[in-house]
Amino acid sequence: MKKLLLLSFTLLFPLMASADIVCVLAKINGIYYNLYDKDKTAEVTSYPNFKYSGEVTIPAAVTYNDSQYSVTSIGNQVFDGCSELTSVTIPNSIIYIGQYAFRDCSRLTSITIPNGVTSIESCTFAFCSRLTSVIFPNSITSIGYSAFAG
């Protein structure tokens, strides 16, 4: 049944999205993205039962089906619970980091927030027990509730 449902979705999705593709989920070089055709932007995202680990370097742009997308955001809960994640390099193209984005990344020790980010959302770095260094840009104007709890 699952295979039939997946096959149906795979065959029908291009028909539903042919005129205006709002969002496509793609895995490019080990990182999942939501790709938005309208403005050619990409958001780093997660995938069910997948956990990022080790060192992750987010590029400033990605190419998918001969189109280039600027990577501008890290979505909500992307790295949530990635206990084997040791470092994340975030490019200056990032302007938004979502809620709970790095929650419970127990091996993450430092992070540099890019200049375009203006706020740190609620619980973004909650329970990152080894996080000892956070470099904030001057652009930060607000820090959400429990952003660094635990």
Side-chain angles (χ1 to χ4, degrees):
M1 180 65 176
K2 287 182 182 178
K3 287 182 182 180
L4 181 59
L5 184 60
L6 181 61
L7 179 61
S8 298
F9 179 76
T10 304
L11 293 174
L12 293 175
F13 182 74
L15 297 175
M16 294 184 301
S18 61
D20 284 328
I21 296 178
V22 175
C23 178
V24 171
L25 175 67
K27 185 177 182 183
I28 303 167
N29 296 326
I31 299 175
Y32 286 94
Y33 299 93
N34 289 321
L35 304 174
Y36 300 96
D37 270 358
K38 186 174 182 177
D39 59 2
K40 296 296 183 201
T41 60
E43 172 186 62
V44 178
T45 193
S46 58
Y47 192 77
N49 301 316
F50 176 81
K51 295 288 183 187
Y52 292 96
S53 63
E55 298 176 3
V56 173
T57 300
I58 300 170
V62 292
T63 301
Y64 181 77
N65 287 346
D66 297 324
S67 292
Q68 189 165 12
Y69 298 82
S70 177
V71 181
T72 59
S73 63
I74 298 172
N76 295 334
Q77 299 176 305
V78 172
F79 300 105
D80 187 11
C82 292
S83 59
E84 299 300 316
L85 184 69
T86 56
S87 73
V88 178
T89 302
I90 303 173
N92 285 330
S93 61
I94 297 290
I95 58 172
Y96 176 79
I97 300 173
Q99 293 182 352
Y100 304 97
F102 294 93
R103 181 179 59 176
D104 201 21
C105 291
S106 57
R107 292 193 179 189
L108 189 63
T109 59
S110 66
I111 196 95
T112 300
I113 309 293
N115 289 326
V117 176
T118 59
S119 66
I120 296 176
E121 301 296 329
S122 298
C123 301
T124 299
F125 297 101
F127 306 108
C128 292
S129 56
R130 294 186 188 168
L131 188 62
T132 57
S133 173
V134 179
I135 299 175
F136 296 96
N138 291 335
S139 60
I140 296 291
T141 58
S142 67
I143 296 177
Y145 179 79
S146 296
F148 296 95

